[in-house]
Amino acid sequence: MPDLDDLQDGKNYHIGVPMQSNAFFLKGSNSLDWGMKNRLARVFNPATGRTVMLAVDHGYFQGPTTGLERIDISIVPLVPYADALMITRGALRTSIPAEMSKPVVLRATGGQSILKELSNELVAVDIEDAVRLNASALAVQVYIGSAHEHQSIGNLVKVVDAGNRQGIPTLAVTGVGKELARDAKYLGLATRICAEMGAHFVKTYFCEKGFARVAAACPVPLVIAGGKKLPELEALQMAYVAIDQGAAGVDMGRNIFQCDAPIAMIQAVRAVVHDQEKPDKAYELYLSLKKDAPRTGPSAGVPNRSRS
């Protein structure tokens, strides 16, 4: 323990050397508190300013969708290749080993199913439980233009305020109903509203026309959703163009865990996002890794664990 024996005066004061005050690497985040920045720096790679999030929270309204029937079997092997895991608290507690060191983006809203109006959500996680689960961020669905737009924005405000008190950032997720067009005008409106309401980063869809304007007008980082399952090359092309036009990462689910070779696919996505690999080259990487990869996609059987 410290004591007073042999107490010496300090001498390395570096007088004349200005104290460094570096800007934080994510846009719109420089004025945040230390804990908030630290958690964002877990979700986003400080070396590239980007993230590859793995979205596996679909069960909160879809149930056991293809590829997520057994999260402990299909998803756990993918976790080491992701920068962050987007998941519900139930799936986290039951299916993800506590030894996992990846940051958790915790699904914080819910309350509906595919059988009902999707926009009718409520805040579904108490902030104290998010702290117990060591969440690095909280995810809130926001339905601009839907029947429950006001309610979903209210959910966002509640979670942002609760997260701010604990130093946990909030991810706003723009939900788009079937009747709404996923064009630059709508996405620009939805993402800007989320940022203005206090979201620290926003997940939205990519649009082929005008996405650069959507990204530029949003004062916090944008992460694109993978959306429905696409052919692997098309998914890689989408990720590449989105990053090139200002996205700070991807949050992919079905385009990874519904592949025949999910581990190969997530590595190809990482090459695009973090290494700026061209889609064709990333697809070649996917095919090369796929040759030697065990079948872990939705068509694979239960792996033989007798040797482990």
Side-chain angles (χ1 to χ4, degrees), residues 1-9:
M1 60 179 289
D3 54 44
L4 298 178
D5 294 340
D6 195 28
L7 183 65
Q8 298 181 11
D9 288 336

Side-chain angles (χ1 to χ4, degrees), residues 247-277:
V250 302
D251 187 19
M252 283 191 173
R254 288 170 288 179
N255 278 300
I256 291 175
F257 63 70
Q258 289 183 352
C259 286
D260 289 335
I263 292 178
M265 184 60 180
I266 194 170
Q267 290 181 84
V269 172
R270 290 189 64 84
V272 169
V273 173
H274 289 302
D275 302 330
Q276 297 178 299
E277 190 67 89

Side-chain angles (χ1 to χ4, degrees), residues 13-296:
Y13 293 98
H14 299 285
I15 296 173
V17 179
M19 181 74 174
Q20 290 188 359
S21 181
N22 298 325
F24 193 61
F25 68 96
L26 289 177
K27 73 172 182 177
S29 305
N30 199 53
S31 63
L32 299 177
D33 199 3
W34 191 94
M36 194 81 75
K37 290 178 180 177
N38 181 261
R39 289 183 173 90
L40 286 170
R42 299 178 200 171
V43 176
F44 292 86
N45 186 333
T48 63
R50 297 171 183 161
T51 186
V52 175
M53 293 170 53
L54 180 61
V56 297
D57 59 329
H58 305 63
Y60 92 96
F61 72 101
Q62 292 183 2
T65 191
T66 302
L68 294 181
E69 298 91 343
R70 287 286 302 273
I71 289 176
D72 61 320
I73 293 174
S74 62
I75 298 304
V76 169
L78 297 173
V79 171
Y81 302 94
D83 293 312
L85 185 65
M86 184 167 171
I87 193 169
T88 65
R89 60 177 170 177
L92 183 64
R93 282 191 165 108
T94 60
S95 304
I96 303 298
E99 295 84 355
M100 180 198 75
S101 60
K102 298 293 183 176
V104 169
V105 179
L106 190 67
R107 166 62 65 176
T109 55
Q112 86 302 354
S113 76
I114 54 175
L115 303 178
K116 299 289 185 178
E117 167 57 43
L118 291 181
S119 65
N120 190 18
E121 289 196 352
L122 47 77
V123 176
V125 175
D126 187 86
I127 189 63
E128 292 182 359
D129 206 26
V131 172
R132 279 191 290 269
L133 288 169
N134 198 27
S136 291
L138 301 167
V140 177
Q141 205 79 15
V142 181
Y143 295 92
I144 302 302
S146 71
H148 299 278
E149 174 189 273
H150 180 77
Q151 178 178 319
S152 70
I153 294 176
N155 292 339
L156 174 63
V157 171
K158 292 175 184 176
V159 173
V160 167
D161 287 342
N164 283 345
R165 288 192 292 271
Q166 302 295 334
I168 302 177
T170 298
L171 166 66
V173 184
T174 61
V176 183
K178 294 180 180 179
E179 69 282 0
L180 298 173
R182 297 178 182 180
D183 58 18
K185 183 176 181 180
Y186 173 81
L187 297 177
L189 172 70
T191 56
R192 183 59 177 260
I193 288 174
C194 290
E196 297 270 356
M197 290 295 100
H200 302 95
F201 57 124
V202 179
K203 174 180 175 179
T204 195
Y205 291 95
F206 174 73
C207 58
E208 292 186 359
K209 294 183 179 180
F211 183 78
R213 298 198 306 271
V214 176
C218 185
V220 297
L222 282 186
V223 175
I224 67 158
K228 66 181 181 180
K229 177 68 176 71
L230 300 170
E232 285 76 14
L233 179 57
E234 290 183 22
L236 294 169
Q237 290 170 335
M238 178 180 67
Y240 179 84
V241 176
I243 295 296
D244 185 60
Q245 294 186 7
V250 302
D251 187 19
M252 283 191 173
R254 288 170 288 179
N255 278 300
I256 291 175
F257 63 70
Q258 289 183 352
C259 286
D260 289 335
I263 292 178
M265 184 60 180
I266 194 170
Q267 290 181 84
V269 172
R270 290 189 64 84
V272 169
V273 173
H274 289 302
D275 302 330
Q276 297 178 299
E277 190 67 89
K278 296 292 179 65
D280 291 344
K281 290 292 185 181
Y283 184 62
E284 291 178 8
L285 173 64
Y286 165 73
L287 294 177
S288 174
L289 294 171
K290 180 181 177 181
K291 291 180 181 178
D292 301 321
R295 293 178 64 206
T296 56

